[in-house]
Amino acid sequence: MGSAAAEARRLVRIQLTEWHTSGETRDNAQLIVSELVTNALRHTGGHFIGCELRLLGGALRVAVSGEGCGPTGTPELPDDDDEGGRGLVLVVALSSSWGVRPGESGFGHVVWADLPLRPVGPIGLPD
């Protein structure tokens, strides 16, 4: 699980650097994709995970596809002593909107999250 999430974070960082997104957007997108990849592997028992980044006007859409039906409903905060259960809560907190839809081929599911794009100045610094 860890190596898949690490590779997803690395690829997201590379793509978002090429797109000249702000550091905040890159950091938040890497955290979201890491949580969604980990959840897809942990909760669906599947072996197929896909990740897509898409610029949608003033937003960045991060989407992770996996096997199974995916999460349902709004996540609840876990108890303080719980070791897990915070991933989707973080996704909700960092995104402007999120959701789950069926996979493209009718197989599996896609969990997506939209992040606002922060303006970037001429030398790559936030305006």
Side-chain angles (χ1 to χ4, degrees), residues 81-105:
D81 56 347
D82 287 343
E83 292 185 20
R86 290 170 181 78
L88 202 51
V89 172
L90 287 171
V91 171
V92 171
L94 292 173
S95 63
S96 56
S97 59
W98 76 282
V100 181
R101 62 176 170 76
E104 299 293 325
S105 64

Side-chain angles (χ1 to χ4, degrees), residues 58-123:
L60 168 70
R61 174 154 296 171
V62 176
V64 173
S65 57
E67 298 174 14
C69 62
T72 58
T74 303
E76 295 183 18
L77 285 172
D79 292 331
D80 289 340
D81 56 347
D82 287 343
E83 292 185 20
R86 290 170 181 78
L88 202 51
V89 172
L90 287 171
V91 171
V92 171
L94 292 173
S95 63
S96 56
S97 59
W98 76 282
V100 181
R101 62 176 170 76
E104 299 293 325
S105 64
F107 174 76
H109 69 282
V110 176
V111 180
W112 57 269
D114 290 343
L115 293 137
L117 287 172
R118 305 288 185 225
V120 177
I123 60 171

Side-chain angles (χ1 to χ4, degrees), residues 15-97:
Q15 183 61 62
L16 295 183
T17 299
E18 287 179 15
W19 286 348
H20 303 288
T21 60
S22 71
E24 180 181 0
T25 299
R26 283 192 305 271
D27 291 346
N28 289 343
Q30 287 178 86
L31 177 57
I32 286 173
V33 78
S34 182
E35 294 299 336
L36 293 180
V37 165
T38 300
N39 283 353
L41 290 169
R42 178 176 291 144
H43 298 296
T44 67
H47 297 92
F48 171 78
I49 301 293
C51 181
E52 180 182 24
L53 301 173
R54 186 177 293 180
L55 297 173
L56 302 171
L60 168 70
R61 174 154 296 171
V62 176
V64 173
S65 57
E67 298 174 14
C69 62
T72 58
T74 303
E76 295 183 18
L77 285 172
D79 292 331
D80 289 340
D81 56 347
D82 287 343
E83 292 185 20
R86 290 170 181 78
L88 202 51
V89 172
L90 287 171
V91 171
V92 171
L94 292 173
S95 63
S96 56
S97 59

